[in-house]
Amino acid sequence: MPEETIEGNARYHFNIILKIDLLDSKIQIMKTMKSAFGLAGWLAASLAAGFIGSRYMPGAWYEALAKPAWTPPGWVFAPVWTVLYVLMGVAAWLVWSRVRFKGARAALSLFIVQLALNALWSYVFFGAHRIDLAFFEILVLWGVILIVTALFRREVSAAGLLMLPYVFWVGFAAYLNFALWQMNRGAPV
């Protein structure tokens, strides 16, 4: 075989390998971008629930309520909730990135439901001043969170673990909500 043909074949095969490698790099970049957009989307959804809920501030009505001694100071809530919303968003993204929505339809659908219930609680409690209804709403919320956590754990164990601080915080919030309801029965709305 002439040397030119061998060199031409080698160059041809090298170019094919280079094109395949570049194509693989482009595919990896696209997957990384899709994953980054997915993470941004799940974080945005979670933080949006917090933003909607934050439209209903405690205000003078809440300040006038009788509260148990173990009620956290007001400044604690914003940073705690921000961390929890980020953890929730990352947990949902982990599940989504592993199996997509089609593979975890129940888990991710219930995740969205619990975000809506989360935002609704703020309206019921702080907006409508219905401590009693807020307590029952938060029990439903907590139940859905427990289901989501179990479903997330089944898909990606780290996602289930990331939901645990939220489970505990909402459990504490339900207990606080109940205490506030009991301490303020008959108080003006």
Side-chain angles (χ1 to χ4, degrees):
M1 187 177 272
E3 197 173 299
E4 293 172 355
T5 307
I6 293 172
E7 187 179 308
N9 281 341
R11 198 174 310 133
Y12 173 76
H13 286 91
F14 175 76
N15 284 336
I16 288 176
I17 291 169
L18 184 62
K19 287 178 183 177
I20 291 171
D21 190 45
L22 287 173
L23 181 60
D24 185 52
S25 294
K26 287 180 181 179
I27 290 170
Q28 291 304 319
I29 289 169
M30 288 172 54
K31 284 181 180 179
T32 300
M33 287 178 62
K34 185 175 183 177
S35 183
F37 285 132
L39 175 59
W42 288 109
L43 286 172
S46 296
L47 291 166
F51 177 76
I52 292 167
S54 73
R55 302 301 88 202
Y56 305 99
M57 300 302 289
W61 168 81
Y62 180 75
E63 293 304 319
L65 293 176
K67 295 176 199 65
W70 45 269
T71 302
W75 63 265
V76 168
F77 292 95
V80 167
W81 276 111
T82 301
V83 169
L84 293 174
Y85 287 124
V86 168
L87 292 175
M88 283 188 270
V90 171
W93 170 74
L94 286 172
V95 171
W96 174 83
S97 65
R98 171 84 52 90
V99 294
R100 298 291 187 237
F101 202 86
K102 190 175 183 177
R105 186 177 313 277
L108 293 171
S109 295
L110 284 173
F111 178 81
I112 293 166
V113 167
Q114 69 81 24
L115 287 177
L117 289 169
N118 180 302
L120 178 63
W121 182 88
S122 293
Y123 167 73
V124 174
F125 190 92
F126 294 117
H129 302 169
R130 291 298 307 266
I131 303 171
D132 53 347
L133 293 180
F135 174 67
F136 294 109
E137 196 275 354
I138 203 169
L139 291 179
V140 173
L141 169 61
W142 198 45
V144 174
I145 294 167
L146 289 169
I147 294 167
V148 168
T149 301
L151 292 173
F152 275 17
R153 186 177 177 279
R154 188 181 316 162
E155 296 296 339
V156 181
S157 61
L161 291 173
L162 287 172
M163 292 292 288
L164 289 179
Y166 183 40
V167 168
F168 294 123
W169 184 257
V170 172
F172 170 75
Y175 184 57
L176 178 59
N177 190 154
F178 181 75
L180 290 168
W181 178 29
Q182 296 307 302
M183 294 175 75
N184 293 281
R185 284 182 179 244
V189 176

